[in-house]
Amino acid sequence: MTTAALTIDEILDQPAIVPLWPTVGRALGLAESTTYQLAAEGRLPIEVIRLGRRRVARTVDLHRFLGLAPQENGAGPACEAGPSAGNDEEAACEAASPVEQVHAPTQ
């Protein structure tokens, strides 16, 4: 069964901590089994937090990875690796498809 990916509005409307599935997995366009497998292998492009048996992620990390978080220096979106950045994580950042942002024309 294929589940539709989350829209940008749905992603931005999430609480501070979200479950890996369905929220993070759907936002990244991943199946449930793939989401949990990547998390178990430490290859998910955002930090995974274990709360008992649950695995969650910070929404701000998801926003940063997807390029939805504003940059402090005013620059455009950038992929930031987490504290345990490794080659797999950097490759995932480069391979991620950019999120298109629509800007209103200035007059």
Side-chain angles (χ1 to χ4, degrees):
M1 180 172 115
T2 305
T3 306
L6 295 175
T7 65
I8 292 174
D9 288 336
E10 289 172 326
I11 294 169
L12 292 174
D13 196 32
Q14 296 296 318
I17 294 180
V18 293
L20 285 187
W21 185 261
T23 308
V24 174
R26 285 184 57 203
L28 299 177
L30 301 172
E32 180 177 5
S33 59
T34 304
T35 303
Y36 283 112
Q37 181 178 356
L38 291 174
E41 295 172 356
R43 294 179 40 210
L44 206 60
I46 59 176
E47 181 181 359
V48 176
I49 302 166
R50 291 194 63 127
L51 296 175
R53 295 184 67 201
R54 294 179 60 212
R55 292 183 183 161
V56 297
R58 292 183 303 232
T59 306
V60 68
D61 293 340
L62 180 61
H63 289 180
R64 282 189 189 124
F65 179 76
L66 295 174
L68 300 174
Q71 300 297 311
E72 292 180 15
N73 62 4
C79 180
E80 297 178 9
S84 61
N87 291 339
D88 290 339
E89 197 166 354
E90 292 171 2
C93 288
E94 293 170 6
S97 59
V99 176
E100 293 183 7
Q101 295 180 353
V102 179
H103 299 284
T106 57
Q107 296 181 1

